[in-house]
């Protein structure tokens, strides 16, 4: 008597299921998919003491029924009405359009952004649905401690690696998000003055999840090329460190950017969506507060 074990039965069942699934697949030609109407796209990050800047675009939905529309450029909408409101005292302002920079810009003295206050951004434009979005500016009560800076040589790329570790002293009883950034400027003296050869910028994002009221540890890495001689003059590297407390929208938007960047060249990963907190449209409206800034030069 031939005995078929359970493992063999399992493999036969999987093969039959795969065959049935494949037999159900058919190619469909000339299928007209529904089109999506363009939406307003807004991006704005506000911070106390900084100019208020907002960019407004129209999205470019892919029309699968017409060829040649997949990579259309994005045009700035110049005639939108962009309104910012302080939801605590009710004060409101309209942000004017700057034709040179193609953005909606307001000087910080014309409208004050305050820590801990919630703001609402409303945008209207002809032929588009109006959009609204909100952000609460962080309190900026955190402090930061840099505990260690190591420099190692990565000879494969003839560059050096700076590894920075430290922690944010997190306020208790609230959810907080942080950004630690490094900006390296490489300059050389040309005889007439210093000129920039290159600059690099890296950011690390952390949250106080499971560390509420404690120390939120971060590890950050940046790269630079060691000093060389150009036209008889030595290069200098300036390392500038920025520490920010950011709101949840800022954190989630930039983390989604990181995810998309990481999977872009990997065919085995699932698709990822760019974070948006815009009601009725797309984009992001978020806020941040600079906690500290330091600079070193070598």
């Amino acid at each position: 008597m031939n005995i078929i074990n359970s493992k063999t039965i399992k493999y036969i069942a999987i093969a039959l299921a795969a065959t049935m699934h494949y037999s159900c697949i058919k190619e469909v030609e000339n299928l007209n998919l529904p089109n999506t109407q363009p939406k307003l796209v807004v991006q704005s990050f506000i911070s106390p003491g900084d100019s208020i800047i907002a960019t407004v675009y129209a999205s470019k939905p892919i029309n699968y029924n017409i060829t040649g529309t997949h990579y259309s450029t994005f045009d700035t909408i110049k005639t939108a009405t962009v309104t910012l409101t302080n939801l605590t005292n009710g004060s409101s302002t309209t942000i004017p359009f700057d034709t040179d920079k193609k953005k909606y810009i307001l000087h910080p003295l014309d409208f004050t952004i305050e820590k801990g206050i919630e703001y609402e951004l409303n945008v209207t434009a002809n032929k588009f649905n109006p959009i609204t979005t909100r952000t609460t500016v962080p309190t900026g009560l955190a402090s930061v401690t840099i505990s260690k800076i190591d420099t190692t040589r990565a000879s494969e790329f003839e560059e050096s690696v700076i590894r920075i570790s430290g922690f944010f002293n997190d306020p208790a009883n609230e959810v907080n998000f942080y950004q630690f950034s490094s900006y390296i400027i490489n300059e050389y003296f040309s005889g007439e003055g210093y000129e920039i050869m290159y600059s690099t910028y890296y950011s690390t994002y952390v949250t106080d999840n499971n560390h509420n009221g404690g120390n939120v540890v971060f590890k950050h890495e940046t790269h630079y090329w060691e000093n060389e001689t150009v036209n008889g003059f030595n290069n200098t590297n300036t390392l500038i460190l920025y520490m920010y407390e950011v709101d949840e929208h800022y954190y989630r938007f930039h983390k989604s950017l990181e995810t998309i960047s990481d999977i872009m060249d990997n065919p085995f990963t699932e698709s990822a969506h760019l974070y948006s907190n815009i009601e009725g449209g797309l984009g992001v409206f978020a806020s941040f507060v600079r906690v500290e800034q330091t600079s070193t030069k070598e």
Side-chain angles (χ1 to χ4, degrees):
M1 178 182 296
N2 293 329
I3 299 176
I4 302 177
N5 58 35
S6 59
K7 190 175 291 187
T8 302
I9 296 175
K10 178 181 178 181
Y11 291 152
I12 294 174
I14 292 174
L16 288 173
T19 302
M20 293 176 63
H21 176 72
Y22 181 78
S23 64
C24 294
I25 297 177
K26 296 182 180 179
E27 291 188 4
V28 179
E29 297 181 358
N30 299 323
L31 178 63
N32 288 323
L33 298 176
N35 295 326
T36 303
Q37 295 301 315
K39 297 181 179 180
L40 285 177
V41 181
V42 176
Q43 179 172 297
S44 179
F45 302 99
I46 61 174
S47 180
D50 290 347
S51 295
I52 301 167
I53 302 175
T55 55
V56 181
Y57 299 92
S59 67
K60 293 285 186 178
I62 295 176
N63 186 342
Y64 292 96
N65 306 318
I66 302 176
T67 59
T69 63
H70 294 65
Y71 303 101
S72 300
T73 58
F74 292 86
D75 294 326
T76 303
I77 296 179
K78 307 175 181 63
T79 57
T81 300
V82 182
T83 305
L84 184 64
T85 303
N86 180 322
L87 294 180
T88 297
N89 60 22
S91 61
S92 181
T93 185
T94 299
I95 306 175
F97 183 76
D98 188 309
T99 55
D100 293 330
K101 297 182 178 179
K102 297 183 178 181
K103 299 176 185 292
Y104 294 82
I105 302 178
L106 191 66
H107 192 276
L109 294 180
D110 294 332
F111 193 79
T112 303
I113 301 297
E114 301 178 59
K115 298 177 181 179
I117 301 298
E118 185 178 20
Y119 293 86
E120 182 177 272
L121 187 71
N122 291 278
V123 181
T124 59
N126 189 30
K127 298 181 180 180
F128 290 93
N129 292 326
I131 67 170
T132 183
T133 180
R134 295 182 178 185
T135 179
T136 299
V137 180
T139 57
L141 297 177
S143 60
V144 65
T145 299
I146 299 175
S147 55
K148 191 175 183 181
I149 299 180
D150 288 329
T151 303
T152 61
R153 180 65 182 265
S155 57
E156 180 182 356
F157 302 101
E158 297 183 352
E159 63 179 357
S160 293
V161 180
I162 299 178
R163 294 187 175 94
I164 305 170
S165 58
F167 56 88
F168 288 92
N169 300 289
D170 182 65
N173 303 319
E174 59 183 60
V175 180
N176 300 105
F177 305 87
Y178 303 101
Q179 174 186 354
F180 185 92
S181 300
S182 62
Y183 184 50
I184 293 182
I185 304 174
N186 182 273
E187 299 175 300
Y188 75 96
F189 189 77
S190 64
E192 298 179 356
Y194 281 96
E195 297 185 20
I196 296 177
M197 288 188 65
Y198 69 86
S199 60
T200 57
Y201 187 84
Y202 294 90
S203 291
T204 299
Y205 304 92
V206 293
T207 177
D208 65 353
N209 186 30
N210 299 324
H211 295 88
N212 184 31
N215 292 331
V216 180
V217 176
F218 67 86
K219 293 183 179 180
H220 179 80
E221 187 173 288
T222 187
H223 304 257
Y224 74 99
W225 280 266
E226 294 187 356
N227 295 344
E228 299 176 353
T229 300
V230 177
N231 298 330
F233 298 97
N234 291 330
N235 289 10
T236 59
N237 286 306
T238 301
L239 172 63
I240 306 174
L241 304 178
Y242 300 100
M243 288 72 79
Y244 302 98
E245 184 179 345
V246 305
D247 78 334
E248 182 177 3
H249 305 305
Y250 188 107
Y251 173 84
R252 294 182 65 182
F253 174 76
H254 285 88
K255 290 296 288 185
S256 68
L257 277 178
E258 285 186 346
T259 301
I260 292 173
S261 177
D262 290 341
I263 70 174
M264 189 171 295
D265 296 325
N266 189 343
F268 300 105
T269 56
E270 295 183 1
S271 62
H273 295 282
L274 190 61
Y275 175 79
S276 173
N277 68 328
I278 306 295
E279 297 179 16
L282 300 169
V284 60
F285 176 54
S287 54
F288 63 94
V289 171
R290 182 178 297 174
V291 174
E292 193 173 329
Q293 176 182 337
T294 63
S295 176
T296 61
K297 193 170 187 177
E298 62 175 38

